[in-house]
Amino acid sequence: INEPNFDGSYILDFGDVIEIQLIGQDDTTDAYSIKRDGSINVPDIGKIFLSGLTLNEASSFIKSKINITYIGTEAFVSLINIRDINILIAGNAFNPGIYTLNGNSNMLHALSMAGGIDSIGSYRNINLIRNGKVIDSLDIYDVLIYGKSNFTKSLRSGDSILVNPVSKIVAIESGVLRPGLYELKDSETFSDLIRFANGL
């Protein structure tokens, strides 16, 4: 399983390490690990709280602080180390358990690490649980059939992913371009089934 790449939308949190390079009167390059309270401590500036900010937002925020404190100095900010997170995968995955993942992982990455969904698991009802509450749900049909890629929140350490059991399976065997077994939600109809099967 390839680790997911990160970009400017990556959300910073405890354990990430950023590098700040200052170019001006005194050139310096220093690495700062984000502490448990979500901050880094930069000399002459003090605490800068970065947890919950995207990499782009954090970069702009740090540059503004540097410009106020150091006249004629330009700052360059980069992420040099990504935190690890521990995720519990429960329910109808092939290999449920606790997994250590890259901090930029999402639900699909986690499910891949757990071997995917077992024969009685739902592809339409996978819950992301944080602090005892369902904060997001993944419908894999959105990914596999409709090609949606912006589908779930980034994971945090301590999150749980629950693969619920499948509820309604319908077989369509002829007269369509993609015959097979499909899982339908209660609100879906025969026309949805035809669409999943790629049309007549």
Side-chain angles (χ1 to χ4, degrees), residues 33 59 74 80-81 128 142-143 146 167-168:
S33 179
S59 179
E74 191 171 1
I80 59 174
N81 193 30
L128 174 58
D142 285 344
V143 182
Y146 299 118
S167 57
K168 185 190 297 180

Side-chain angles (χ1 to χ4, degrees), residues 80-97:
I80 59 174
N81 193 30
I82 298 179
R83 67 190 181 274
D84 286 333
I85 56 175
N86 289 324
I87 303 297
L88 170 64
I89 302 175
N92 296 101
F94 271 112
N95 297 297

Side-chain angles (χ1 to χ4, degrees), residues 6 16 29 33 35 56 67 84 88 107 117 138 140 148 155 161 173 188:
F6 63 89
D16 288 329
T29 301
S33 179
K35 299 174 184 174
N56 284 341
N67 289 338
D84 286 333
L88 170 64
M107 290 171 73
I117 297 167
L138 172 62
I140 293 184
K148 295 180 181 178
L155 301 175
I161 296 172
E173 298 188 357
E188 291 173 335

Side-chain angles (χ1 to χ4, degrees), residues 90-93 117-127 162-169 183-184:
N92 296 101
I117 297 167
D118 69 17
S119 59
I120 60 169
S122 172
Y123 280 71
R124 313 291 310 277
N125 186 18
I126 303 166
N127 294 331
L162 175 63
V163 181
N164 291 290
V166 68
S167 57
K168 185 190 297 180
I169 292 288
E183 182 180 352
L184 295 184

Side-chain angles (χ1 to χ4, degrees), residues 7-100:
D7 55 21
S9 63
Y10 174 74
I11 296 175
L12 297 170
D13 207 347
F14 166 63
D16 288 329
V17 180
I18 63 170
E19 183 180 78
I20 302 176
Q21 182 181 19
L22 301 181
I23 305 231
Q25 294 178 348
D26 295 313
D27 294 353
T28 61
T29 301
D30 293 300
Y32 299 91
S33 179
I34 297 178
K35 299 174 184 174
R36 196 170 291 278
D37 66 354
S39 73
I40 61 173
N41 199 342
V42 180
D44 299 327
I45 295 176
K47 278 192 173 187
I48 301 176
F49 289 90
L50 301 178
S51 183
L53 298 180
T54 66
L55 182 57
N56 284 341
E57 290 169 344
S59 179
S60 298
F61 187 43
I62 291 169
K63 287 177 181 179
S64 68
K65 293 279 191 183
I66 297 292
N67 289 338
I68 293 170
T69 307
Y70 301 101
I71 305 301
T73 298
E74 191 171 1
F76 297 91
V77 180
S78 57
L79 182 64
I80 59 174
N81 193 30
I82 298 179
R83 67 190 181 274
D84 286 333
I85 56 175
N86 289 324
I87 303 297
L88 170 64
I89 302 175
N92 296 101
F94 271 112
N95 297 297
I98 296 175
Y99 290 85
T100 300

